[in-house]
Amino acid sequence: QVQLVESGGGLVQAGGSLRLSCAASGLAFSGYALGWFRPVPGNGREFVATIKWTTSNTYYADSVKGRFTISRDNALNTVYLQMNSLKPEDTAIYYCAARPSLSGYLSPAPHDYNYWGQGTQVTVSS
């Protein structure tokens, strides 16, 4: 019943922008945080950004701070990742994930996230 569906990926030139969406269903959104991750070598995933669902508190990886913005729309049960000033090294499959967040702490650890979408491909050309 829990489902996270990403969309909005595509091909852009360096310096361009994309807006990713993650439509969530089947979750009790109160007390949850939504995050974005992308793969790293060795089958791992690196943190990009996260947002607490009820308060909109946010936290970003240093590599994207100032370029990416995470937000959410409670009415649409959707979290967004606005990506500006894209670089070729941002090329990746971007995954949406959800975790319980019962305090103000916003975790960057992928193992803390319980639910994952299938990802959406972002390709940035030089």
Side-chain angles (χ1 to χ4, degrees):
Q1 187 173 345
V2 175
Q3 190 172 24
L4 304 174
V5 180
E6 302 95 332
S7 62
L11 173 64
V12 298
Q13 293 184 342
S17 298
L18 283 174
R19 188 195 193 196
L20 307 183
S21 298
C22 174
S25 62
L27 291 175
F29 296 110
S30 296
Y32 275 80
L34 276 293
W36 290 94
F37 295 81
R38 60 194 183 188
V40 296
N43 296 320
R45 292 180 179 179
E46 69 172 349
F47 168 75
V48 176
T50 186
I51 183 169
K52 188 170 183 177
W53 191 260
T54 56
T55 66
S56 294
N57 289 350
T58 60
Y59 181 66
Y60 297 91
D62 288 342
S63 60
V64 305
K65 193 175 300 182
R67 299 189 298 121
F68 292 8
T69 302
I70 188 170
S71 62
R72 61 101 177 89
D73 188 322
N74 283 339
L76 298 178
N77 295 335
T78 300
V79 64
Y80 305 97
L81 186 67
Q82 178 67 46
M83 305 184 295
N84 298 326
S85 301
L86 283 163
K87 305 174 181 179
E89 51 263 45
D90 294 319
T91 295
I93 300 173
Y94 283 73
Y95 294 90
C96 178
R99 66 175 294 271
S101 183
L102 302 180
S103 72
Y105 178 68
L106 292 171
S107 175
H111 66 260
D112 284 343
Y113 289 76
N114 303 308
Y115 306 105
W116 294 82
Q118 294 300 306
T120 185
Q121 176 69 49
V122 172
T123 303
V124 184
S125 63
S126 60

